[in-house]
Amino acid sequence: MIVDLFLFQICIGGHDFIDITELKWSNIKNGRISFKRNKNRKLNNGGPLINNKLFPFALKVIEKYGTIGDVRVFSFIPRPNYESDNSEYKVYQFGYN
């Protein structure tokens, strides 16, 4: 799974782990993925909109690991809590890296 998620990141343009953590089903439409990068969240309008094609490998990863019925695509990855130490997210991220 870790290798698949890493390769998924590369397939969608090499975006950060936090970007796939926050990825929502509503960001996926017509074989494309569009979202605003987490690192730009404090910029006006959240920064530029990323709009990339989803290649077959990326679609397979979403089909295999995506959590249907949840708002986020990969809801098994703990969300960061910017008001605390993010311990659960950091532990997951540490194991991922």
Side-chain angles (χ1 to χ4, degrees):
M1 176 173 60
I2 291 172
V3 172
D4 286 344
L5 290 175
F6 174 75
L7 292 174
F8 176 80
Q9 283 180 262
I10 293 169
C11 282
I12 65 166
H15 299 292
D16 297 331
F17 183 68
I18 187 67
D19 294 327
I20 66 166
T21 299
E22 297 289 350
L23 191 62
K24 297 177 181 156
W25 289 104
S26 61
N27 297 124
I28 301 171
K29 293 178 187 162
N30 301 320
R32 298 193 71 81
I33 185 169
S34 61
F35 62 96
K36 294 194 177 193
R37 296 194 64 190
N38 188 67
K39 74 177 189 175
N40 295 330
R41 69 186 179 278
K42 294 182 181 179
L43 297 177
N44 289 339
N45 297 325
L49 182 68
I50 303 301
N51 185 352
N52 293 337
K53 179 180 175 159
L54 285 171
F55 291 96
F57 178 81
L59 291 168
K60 286 180 186 176
V61 170
I62 291 169
E63 182 180 324
K64 185 174 182 178
Y65 300 109
T67 47
I68 303 291
D70 199 285
V71 173
R72 292 186 304 129
V73 177
F74 303 114
S75 65
F76 57 87
I77 302 172
R79 291 185 78 197
N81 180 345
Y82 298 106
E83 296 178 15
S84 74
D85 65 355
N86 294 322
S87 59
E88 190 177 359
Y89 173 76
K90 285 183 179 179
V91 166
Y92 193 93
Q93 185 183 30
F94 180 76
Y96 178 80
N97 290 330

